[in-house]
Coordinates of all heavy atoms in Angstrom, one line a residue:
S846 N 255.8 -126.3 229.6 CA 254.8 -125.3 229.8 C 255.3 -123.9 229.8 O 256.4 -123.6 230.2 CB 254.2 -125.6 231.2 OG 253.3 -124.6 231.6
L847 N 254.5 -123.0 229.2 CA 254.9 -121.6 229.0 C 254.8 -120.8 230.3 O 253.8 -121.0 231.0 CB 254.0 -120.9 227.9 CG 254.2 -119.4 227.7 CD1 255.6 -119.2 227.1 CD2 253.2 -118.9 226.8
D848 N 255.8 -120.1 230.7 CA 255.8 -119.3 231.9 C 255.0 -118.0 231.6 O 255.5 -117.2 230.8 CB 257.2 -119.0 232.4 CG 257.2 -118.1 233.6 OD1 256.2 -117.9 234.2 OD2 258.3 -117.6 233.9
E849 N 253.8 -117.9 232.1 CA 253.0 -116.7 231.8 C 253.6 -115.4 232.2 O 253.3 -114.4 231.6 CB 251.6 -116.8 232.5 CG 250.7 -117.8 231.9 CD 249.3 -117.8 232.4 OE1 249.0 -116.8 233.1 OE2 248.5 -118.7 232.2
S850 N 254.5 -115.4 233.2 CA 255.1 -114.2 233.6 C 256.0 -113.7 232.5 O 256.4 -112.5 232.4 CB 255.9 -114.3 234.9 OG 257.0 -115.2 234.7
A851 N 256.4 -114.5 231.5 CA 257.3 -114.1 230.4 C 256.5 -113.3 229.4 O 257.1 -112.6 228.6 CB 258.0 -115.4 229.8
V852 N 255.2 -113.5 229.3 CA 254.4 -112.8 228.3 C 253.5 -111.8 228.8 O 252.9 -111.0 228.1 CB 253.7 -113.9 227.4 CG1 254.6 -114.7 226.6 CG2 252.7 -114.7 228.2
R853 N 253.2 -111.8 230.1 CA 252.3 -110.9 230.8 C 253.1 -109.8 231.5 O 254.1 -110.1 232.2 CB 251.4 -111.6 231.8 CG 250.4 -110.8 232.3 CD 249.5 -111.6 233.3 NE 250.2 -112.8 233.7 CZ 249.7 -113.6 234.6 NH1 248.5 -113.4 235.1 NH2 250.4 -114.6 235.0
P854 N 252.7 -108.5 231.3 CA 253.4 -107.5 232.0 C 253.2 -107.6 233.5 O 252.2 -108.1 233.9 CB 252.8 -106.2 231.4 CG 251.5 -106.6 230.9 CD 251.6 -108.0 230.5
P855 N 254.1 -107.0 234.3 CA 254.0 -107.0 235.8 C 252.7 -106.3 236.2 O 252.2 -105.5 235.4 CB 255.2 -106.3 236.3 CG 256.2 -106.3 235.2 CD 255.4 -106.4 233.9
E856 N 252.1 -106.7 237.3 CA 250.9 -106.1 237.8 C 251.0 -104.5 237.8 O 252.0 -104.0 238.2 CB 250.6 -106.5 239.2 CG 249.2 -106.2 239.7 CD 248.1 -106.9 239.0 OE1 248.4 -108.1 238.6 OE2 247.1 -106.4 238.9
G857 N 250.0 -103.9 237.2 CA 249.9 -102.4 237.1 C 250.7 -101.8 235.9 O 250.6 -100.6 235.7
E858 N 251.4 -102.6 235.2 CA 252.1 -102.2 234.0 C 251.2 -102.3 232.8 O 250.4 -103.2 232.7 CB 253.4 -103.0 233.8 CG 254.4 -102.8 234.8 CD 255.1 -101.5 234.7 OE1 255.4 -101.0 233.6 OE2 255.3 -100.9 235.8
P859 N 251.3 -101.3 231.9 CA 250.5 -101.4 230.6 C 251.0 -102.6 229.8 O 252.2 -103.0 229.9 CB 250.8 -100.1 229.9 CG 252.1 -99.6 230.5 CD 252.2 -100.1 231.9
P860 N 250.1 -103.1 228.9 CA 250.5 -104.2 228.1 C 251.6 -103.8 227.1 O 251.7 -102.6 226.7 CB 249.3 -104.6 227.3 CG 248.3 -103.5 227.5 CD 248.7 -102.7 228.8
A861 N 252.4 -104.7 226.6 CA 253.5 -104.4 225.7 C 252.9 -103.9 224.4 O 251.8 -104.3 224.0 CB 254.4 -105.6 225.5
A862 N 253.6 -103.0 223.7 CA 253.1 -102.5 222.4 C 253.2 -103.7 221.4 O 253.9 -104.6 221.6 CB 254.0 -101.4 221.9
W863 N 252.5 -103.5 220.3 CA 252.5 -104.5 219.2 C 253.9 -104.5 218.6 O 254.6 -103.5 218.5 CB 251.5 -104.1 218.1 CG 250.1 -104.3 218.7 CD1 249.3 -103.3 219.1 CD2 249.4 -105.5 218.8 NE1 248.1 -103.8 219.5 CE2 248.1 -105.2 219.4 CE3 249.7 -106.8 218.6 CZ2 247.2 -106.1 219.7 CZ3 248.7 -107.8 218.9 CH2 247.5 -107.4 219.4
D864 N 254.4 -105.6 218.2 CA 255.7 -105.8 217.6 C 255.6 -105.0 216.2 O 254.9 -105.4 215.3 CB 256.0 -107.3 217.3 CG 257.3 -107.5 216.7 OD1 257.5 -107.0 215.6 OD2 258.2 -108.1 217.4
E865 N 256.5 -104.0 216.1 CA 256.4 -103.1 214.9 C 256.8 -103.9 213.7 O 256.2 -103.6 212.6 CB 257.4 -101.9 215.1 CG 257.0 -100.9 216.1 CD 255.7 -100.3 215.8 OE1 255.5 -99.9 214.6 OE2 254.8 -100.1 216.7
D866 N 257.7 -104.8 213.7 CA 258.1 -105.6 212.6 C 257.0 -106.4 212.1 O 256.7 -106.6 210.9 CB 259.4 -106.4 212.9 CG 260.6 -105.6 213.1 OD1 260.7 -104.5 212.6 OD2 261.5 -106.1 213.7
E867 N 256.3 -107.0 213.0 CA 255.1 -107.9 212.7 C 254.0 -107.1 212.1 O 253.4 -107.5 211.1 CB 254.7 -108.6 214.0 CG 253.9 -109.9 213.7 CD 254.7 -110.9 212.8 OE1 255.9 -111.1 213.0 OE2 254.0 -111.5 212.0
V868 N 253.7 -105.9 212.6 CA 252.7 -105.0 212.1 C 253.0 -104.6 210.7 O 252.2 -104.7 209.8 CB 252.4 -103.8 213.0 CG1 251.5 -102.8 212.3 CG2 251.8 -104.2 214.3
E869 N 254.3 -104.2 210.5 CA 254.8 -103.8 209.2 C 254.7 -105.0 208.2 O 254.2 -104.8 207.0 CB 256.2 -103.3 209.3 CG 256.8 -103.0 207.9 CD 256.2 -101.8 207.2 OE1 255.7 -100.9 207.9 OE2 256.1 -101.9 206.0
K870 N 255.1 -106.2 208.6 CA 255.1 -107.3 207.7 C 253.7 -107.7 207.3 O 253.4 -108.1 206.2 CB 255.9 -108.5 208.3 CG 256.0 -109.7 207.4 CD 256.9 -110.7 208.1 CE 256.1 -111.6 209.0 NZ 256.8 -112.7 209.6
T871 N 252.8 -107.7 208.3 CA 251.4 -108.2 208.1 C 250.6 -107.1 207.4 O 249.8 -107.5 206.4 CB 250.8 -108.5 209.4 OG1 251.6 -109.5 210.1 CG2 249.4 -109.1 209.2
F872 N 250.7 -105.9 207.8 CA 249.7 -104.9 207.3 C 250.4 -103.9 206.3 O 249.7 -103.1 205.6 CB 249.1 -104.1 208.4 CG 248.3 -105.0 209.3 CD1 248.7 -105.5 210.5 CD2 247.0 -105.3 208.9 CE1 248.0 -106.3 211.3 CE2 246.2 -106.2 209.7 CZ 246.7 -106.7 210.8
G873 N 251.7 -103.8 206.2 CA 252.4 -102.9 205.3 C 251.9 -103.1 203.8 O 251.6 -102.1 203.2
P874 N 251.9 -104.3 203.3 CA 251.4 -104.5 201.9 C 250.0 -104.0 201.7 O 249.7 -103.5 200.6 CB 251.5 -106.0 201.7 CG 252.6 -106.5 202.7 CD 252.4 -105.6 203.9
L875 N 249.1 -104.2 202.7 CA 247.8 -103.7 202.5 C 247.8 -102.2 202.5 O 247.1 -101.6 201.6 CB 246.9 -104.2 203.7 CG 245.5 -103.6 203.8 CD1 244.7 -104.0 202.6 CD2 244.8 -104.0 205.1
V876 N 248.5 -101.5 203.3 CA 248.6 -100.1 203.3 C 249.2 -99.6 202.0 O 248.7 -98.6 201.4 CB 249.4 -99.6 204.5 CG1 249.8 -98.1 204.4 CG2 248.7 -99.8 205.8
D877 N 250.2 -100.3 201.5 CA 250.8 -99.9 200.2 C 249.8 -100.0 199.1 O 249.7 -99.1 198.2 CB 252.0 -100.7 199.9 CG 253.2 -100.5 200.9 OD1 253.2 -99.4 201.5 OD2 254.0 -101.4 201.0
E878 N 248.9 -101.0 199.2 CA 247.9 -101.2 198.2 C 246.9 -100.0 198.3 O 246.4 -99.5 197.2 CB 247.2 -102.5 198.4 CG 246.2 -102.9 197.2 CD 246.9 -103.1 195.9 OE1 248.1 -103.5 195.9 OE2 246.3 -102.8 194.9
L879 N 246.5 -99.6 199.5 CA 245.6 -98.5 199.7 C 246.2 -97.2 199.1 O 245.5 -96.4 198.4 CB 245.4 -98.2 201.2 CG 244.5 -99.3 201.9 CD1 244.5 -99.0 203.4 CD2 243.1 -99.4 201.3
L880 N 247.5 -97.0 199.2 CA 248.2 -95.8 198.7 C 248.2 -95.8 197.2 O 248.3 -94.7 196.6 CB 249.6 -95.7 199.3 CG 249.7 -95.4 200.8 CD1 251.1 -95.4 201.3 CD2 249.0 -94.0 201.1
R881 N 248.2 -97.0 196.6 CA 248.2 -97.0 195.1 C 246.8 -96.7 194.5 O 246.6 -96.5 193.3 CB 248.7 -98.4 194.6 CG 250.2 -98.6 194.7 CD 250.7 -99.8 194.0 NE 250.4 -101.0 194.7 CZ 251.1 -101.6 195.7 NH1 252.2 -100.9 196.1 NH2 250.7 -102.7 196.2
D882 N 245.8 -96.8 195.4 CA 244.4 -96.6 194.9 C 244.1 -95.1 194.9 O 244.1 -94.4 195.9 CB 243.4 -97.3 195.8 CG 242.0 -97.3 195.3 OD1 241.6 -96.3 194.6 OD2 241.3 -98.2 195.6
D883 N 243.9 -94.5 193.7 CA 243.6 -93.1 193.6 C 242.4 -92.6 194.3 O 242.2 -91.4 194.6 CB 243.5 -92.7 192.1 CG 244.9 -92.7 191.4 OD1 245.9 -92.6 192.1 OD2 244.9 -92.9 190.2
R884 N 241.4 -93.5 194.6 CA 240.2 -93.2 195.3 C 240.5 -93.0 196.8 O 239.7 -92.4 197.5 CB 239.1 -94.2 195.1 CG 238.7 -94.3 193.6 CD 237.8 -95.5 193.4 NE 238.6 -96.7 193.7 CZ 238.1 -97.9 193.9 NH1 236.8 -98.1 193.9 NH2 238.8 -98.9 194.2
I885 N 241.6 -93.6 197.3 CA 241.9 -93.5 198.7 C 243.0 -92.6 199.0 O 243.0 -91.8 200.0 CB 242.2 -95.0 199.2 CG1 240.9 -95.8 199.0 CG2 242.6 -94.9 200.7 CD1 241.1 -97.3 199.3
N886 N 244.0 -92.6 198.2 CA 245.3 -91.9 198.4 C 244.9 -90.4 198.5 O 244.3 -89.8 197.6 CB 246.3 -92.2 197.3 CG 247.7 -91.6 197.7 OD1 247.8 -90.6 198.4 ND2 248.7 -92.2 197.2
L887 N 245.3 -89.7 199.5 CA 245.2 -88.3 199.6 C 246.3 -87.6 198.9 O 247.5 -87.6 199.4 CB 245.1 -87.9 201.1 CG 244.0 -88.5 202.0 CD1 244.2 -88.2 203.4 CD2 242.7 -88.2 201.5
R888 N 246.0 -86.9 197.9 CA 247.1 -86.3 197.0 C 247.9 -85.2 197.7 O 249.0 -85.0 197.4 CB 246.5 -85.8 195.7 CG 245.9 -86.9 194.9 CD 245.3 -86.4 193.6 NE 244.5 -87.5 193.0 CZ 243.6 -87.4 192.1 NH1 243.3 -86.2 191.7 NH2 243.0 -88.4 191.7
L889 N 247.2 -84.5 198.6 CA 247.9 -83.4 199.3 C 248.7 -83.8 200.5 O 249.3 -82.9 201.2 CB 246.9 -82.3 199.6 CG 246.1 -81.7 198.4 CD1 245.1 -80.7 198.9 CD2 247.1 -81.0 197.5
V890 N 248.7 -85.1 200.8 CA 249.4 -85.6 202.0 C 250.5 -86.5 201.5 O 250.3 -87.3 200.7 CB 248.5 -86.4 203.0 CG1 249.2 -86.9 204.1 CG2 247.3 -85.5 203.4
A891 N 251.7 -86.2 202.0 CA 252.9 -87.1 201.6 C 252.6 -88.5 201.9 O 252.0 -88.9 203.0 CB 254.1 -86.6 202.4
D892 N 252.9 -89.4 201.0 CA 252.7 -90.8 201.2 C 253.3 -91.4 202.4 O 252.7 -92.2 203.1 CB 253.2 -91.6 200.0 CG 252.2 -91.5 198.8 OD1 251.1 -91.0 198.9 OD2 252.6 -91.9 197.7
G893 N 254.4 -90.9 202.8 CA 255.1 -91.4 204.0 C 254.2 -91.1 205.3 O 254.1 -91.9 206.2
L894 N 253.7 -89.9 205.3 CA 252.9 -89.5 206.5 C 251.5 -90.3 206.4 O 251.0 -90.7 207.5 CB 252.6 -88.0 206.4 CG 251.7 -87.4 207.5 CD1 252.3 -87.7 208.9 CD2 251.5 -85.9 207.3
E895 N 251.0 -90.4 205.2 CA 249.7 -91.1 205.1 C 249.9 -92.6 205.5 O 249.1 -93.2 206.2 CB 249.2 -91.0 203.6 CG 247.8 -91.4 203.4 CD 247.3 -91.1 202.0 OE1 248.1 -90.6 201.2 OE2 246.2 -91.5 201.8
R896 N 251.0 -93.2 205.0 CA 251.3 -94.6 205.4 C 251.4 -94.8 206.9 O 250.9 -95.7 207.5 CB 252.6 -95.0 204.7 CG 252.9 -96.5 204.8 CD 254.1 -96.8 203.9 NE 254.2 -98.2 203.7 CZ 254.6 -99.1 204.6 NH1 255.0 -98.7 205.8 NH2 254.7 -100.4 204.3
S897 N 252.2 -93.9 207.5 CA 252.4 -93.9 209.0 C 251.0 -93.8 209.7 O 250.8 -94.5 210.7 CB 253.3 -92.8 209.4 OG 253.5 -92.7 210.7
T898 N 250.2 -92.9 209.2 CA 248.8 -92.7 209.8 C 248.0 -94.0 209.7 O 247.4 -94.4 210.7 CB 248.1 -91.6 209.1 OG1 248.9 -90.4 209.3 CG2 246.7 -91.4 209.7
Y899 N 248.0 -94.6 208.5 CA 247.2 -95.8 208.3 C 247.7 -97.0 209.2 O 246.9 -97.7 209.8 CB 247.3 -96.3 206.8 CG 246.5 -95.5 205.9 CD1 246.9 -95.3 204.6 CD2 245.3 -94.8 206.3 CE1 246.2 -94.5 203.7 CE2 244.6 -94.0 205.4 CZ 245.0 -93.9 204.1 OH 244.3 -93.1 203.2
L900 N 249.0 -97.1 209.3 CA 249.6 -98.1 210.2 C 249.2 -97.8 211.7 O 249.0 -98.7 212.5 CB 251.1 -98.3 210.0 CG 251.5 -99.0 208.7 CD1 253.0 -98.9 208.5 CD2 251.0 -100.4 208.7
G901 N 249.2 -96.5 212.0 CA 248.8 -96.1 213.4 C 247.3 -96.5 213.7 O 247.0 -97.0 214.7
V902 N 246.5 -96.4 212.6 CA 245.1 -96.8 212.8 C 245.0 -98.3 213.0 O 244.2 -98.8 213.8 CB 244.3 -96.3 211.6 CG1 242.9 -97.0 211.5 CG2 244.2 -94.8 211.5
V903 N 245.8 -99.0 212.2 CA 245.8 -100.5 212.4 C 246.2 -100.9 213.8 O 245.6 -101.7 214.4 CB 246.8 -101.1 211.3 CG1 247.1 -102.6 211.7 CG2 246.2 -101.0 209.9
R904 N 247.3 -100.2 214.3 CA 247.7 -100.5 215.7 C 246.6 -100.2 216.7 O 246.3 -101.0 217.7 CB 248.9 -99.7 216.1 CG 250.2 -100.3 215.5 CD 251.4 -99.6 216.0 NE 252.4 -99.5 214.9 CZ 252.5 -98.5 214.0 NH1 251.7 -97.5 214.1 NH2 253.3 -98.6 213.1
A905 N 245.9 -99.1 216.5 CA 244.8 -98.7 217.4 C 243.7 -99.8 217.3 O 243.1 -100.2 218.4 CB 244.2 -97.3 217.0
L906 N 243.3 -100.2 216.1 CA 242.3 -101.2 216.0 C 242.7 -102.6 216.6 O 241.9 -103.3 217.2 CB 241.9 -101.4 214.5 CG 241.2 -100.3 213.8 CD1 241.1 -100.5 212.3 CD2 239.9 -100.0 214.5
L907 N 244.0 -102.9 216.5 CA 244.5 -104.1 217.1 C 244.3 -104.0 218.7 O 244.0 -104.9 219.3 CB 246.0 -104.4 216.8 CG 246.2 -104.8 215.4 CD1 247.7 -104.8 215.1 CD2 245.6 -106.2 215.1
G908 N 244.6 -102.8 219.2 CA 244.5 -102.6 220.6 C 243.1 -102.7 221.1 O 242.8 -103.3 222.1
V909 N 242.1 -102.1 220.3 CA 240.7 -102.2 220.6 C 240.3 -103.7 220.6 O 239.6 -104.2 221.4 CB 239.9 -101.4 219.7 CG1 238.4 -101.7 219.8 CG2 240.1 -99.9 219.9
G910 N 240.7 -104.4 219.5 CA 240.3 -105.8 219.4 C 240.8 -106.6 220.5 O 240.1 -107.5 221.1
A911 N 242.1 -106.4 221.0 CA 242.6 -107.1 222.1 C 241.9 -106.8 223.4 O 241.7 -107.7 224.2 CB 244.1 -106.8 222.2
A912 N 241.5 -105.5 223.5 CA 240.8 -105.1 224.8 C 239.4 -105.8 224.8 O 239.0 -106.3 225.8 CB 240.6 -103.6 224.8
V913 N 238.7 -105.8 223.6 CA 237.4 -106.5 223.6 C 237.6 -108.0 223.8 O 236.8 -108.6 224.6 CB 236.8 -106.2 222.2 CG1 235.5 -107.1 222.0 CG2 236.4 -104.7 222.1
A914 N 238.5 -108.6 223.1 CA 238.7 -110.0 223.3 C 239.1 -110.4 224.7 O 238.8 -111.4 225.3 CB 239.8 -110.5 222.3
G915 N 239.9 -109.5 225.4 CA 240.3 -109.7 226.7 C 239.2 -109.6 227.7 O 239.3 -110.1 228.8
Q916 N 238.1 -109.0 227.3 CA 237.0 -108.9 228.3 C 235.8 -109.6 227.7 O 234.7 -109.4 228.1 CB 236.6 -107.4 228.4 CG 237.7 -106.5 228.9 CD 238.2 -106.9 230.3 OE1 237.3 -107.2 231.1 NE2 239.4 -106.9 230.6
A917 N 236.0 -110.6 226.8 CA 234.9 -111.3 226.2 C 234.1 -112.1 227.2 O 234.7 -112.9 228.0 CB 235.4 -112.1 225.0
R918 N 232.8 -112.0 227.1 CA 231.9 -112.9 227.9 C 230.7 -113.1 227.1 O 230.1 -112.2 226.6 CB 231.6 -112.2 229.3 CG 230.7 -113.0 230.2 CD 230.3 -112.2 231.4 NE 229.2 -112.9 232.0 CZ 229.3 -113.5 233.2 NH1 230.4 -113.4 233.9 NH2 228.2 -114.1 233.8
V919 N 230.3 -114.4 227.1 CA 229.1 -114.7 226.4 C 228.1 -115.5 227.3 O 228.5 -116.4 228.0 CB 229.4 -115.7 225.2 CG1 228.1 -116.1 224.5 CG2 230.3 -115.0 224.2
D920 N 226.9 -115.0 227.4 CA 225.9 -115.6 228.2 C 224.8 -116.2 227.3 O 224.2 -115.5 226.5 CB 225.2 -114.6 229.1 CG 226.1 -114.1 230.2 OD1 226.7 -114.9 230.9 OD2 226.2 -112.9 230.3
A921 N 224.6 -117.5 227.4 CA 223.6 -118.2 226.5 C 223.1 -119.4 227.3 O 223.8 -120.2 227.8 CB 224.3 -118.6 225.2
F922 N 221.8 -119.5 227.3 CA 221.1 -120.7 227.8 C 221.5 -120.9 229.3 O 221.7 -122.1 229.7 CB 221.3 -121.9 227.0 CG 221.0 -121.7 225.5 CD1 221.9 -121.7 224.6 CD2 219.6 -121.5 225.2 CE1 221.6 -121.5 223.3 CE2 219.3 -121.3 223.8 CZ 220.3 -121.3 222.9
G923 N 221.7 -119.9 230.0 CA 222.1 -120.0 231.4 C 223.5 -120.3 231.7 O 223.9 -120.5 232.9
L924 N 224.3 -120.4 230.6 CA 225.8 -120.6 230.8 C 226.5 -119.3 230.5 O 226.2 -118.6 229.6 CB 226.3 -121.7 229.8 CG 225.8 -123.1 230.1 CD1 226.2 -124.0 229.0 CD2 226.4 -123.6 231.4
A925 N 227.5 -119.0 231.3 CA 228.4 -117.9 231.1 C 229.8 -118.4 230.7 O 230.4 -119.2 231.5 CB 228.4 -117.0 232.3
V926 N 230.3 -117.9 229.6 CA 231.6 -118.3 229.2 C 232.4 -117.0 229.0 O 231.9 -116.0 228.4 CB 231.6 -119.0 227.8 CG1 233.0 -119.4 227.4 CG2 230.7 -120.3 227.9
S927 N 233.6 -116.9 229.6 CA 234.4 -115.7 229.5 C 235.8 -116.2 229.0 O 236.2 -117.3 229.3 CB 234.5 -114.9 230.8 OG 235.0 -115.7 231.8
A928 N 236.4 -115.2 228.3 CA 237.8 -115.5 227.9 C 238.7 -114.3 228.2 O 238.2 -113.2 228.2 CB 237.8 -115.8 226.4
S929 N 239.9 -114.5 228.4 CA 240.8 -113.4 228.6 C 242.2 -113.7 227.9 O 242.6 -114.9 227.8 CB 241.1 -113.2 230.1 OG 241.8 -114.3 230.7
L930 N 242.8 -112.7 227.4 CA 244.1 -112.8 226.7 C 245.1 -112.4 227.7 O 245.0 -111.4 228.4 CB 244.1 -111.9 225.5 CG 243.2 -112.2 224.4 CD1 243.3 -111.1 223.3 CD2 243.5 -113.6 223.8
R931 N 246.2 -113.2 227.8 CA 247.2 -112.8 228.7 C 248.5 -112.9 228.0 O 248.8 -113.6 227.2 CB 247.2 -113.8 229.9 CG 246.0 -113.6 230.7 CD 246.0 -114.5 231.9 NE 244.8 -114.5 232.5 CZ 244.6 -114.5 233.8 NH1 245.6 -114.5 234.6 NH2 243.4 -114.4 234.4

């Protein structure tokens, strides 16, 4: 059985940041594809800065998604189901 204290931050501590290597491995190729698209790539912004910004947006969206999923509650037909990520 997994010890939840190993994956959950101590009470009052903010959640751990996303694993940078995993974000890079998962979303880096997508960001690189965006940078190759002339309709998306901002010519006056250095690609390194633009890439870093796009990955920052991905991290922010992951955080929002985790917060929403962590507070998920569905009420239907008199039943309430809630879920939390830990």
Side-chain angles (χ1 to χ4, degrees):
S846 170
L847 176 66
D848 177 12
E849 285 189 17
S850 66
V852 294
R853 187 177 22 175
E856 191 68 33
E858 292 289 319
W863 294 100
D864 182 295
E865 290 298 318
D866 291 336
E867 204 55 40
V868 170
E869 175 64 38
K870 184 173 84 173
T871 304
F872 296 100
L875 172 64
V876 169
D877 292 338
E878 190 66 30
L879 291 173
L880 292 174
R881 284 192 286 278
D882 188 331
D883 289 335
R884 296 171 297 162
I885 296 171
N886 191 333
L887 303 173
R888 294 178 192 162
L889 298 177
V890 177
D892 282 349
L894 178 59
E895 194 173 358
R896 187 176 198 282
S897 176
T898 300
Y899 289 149
L900 287 172
V902 169
V903 167
R904 280 186 218 92
L906 291 173
L907 288 171
V909 168
V913 168
Q916 301 298 318
R918 179 184 166 115
V919 176
D920 292 307
F922 307 109
L924 291 172
V926 178
S927 63
S929 65
L930 296 175
R931 295 180 187 220

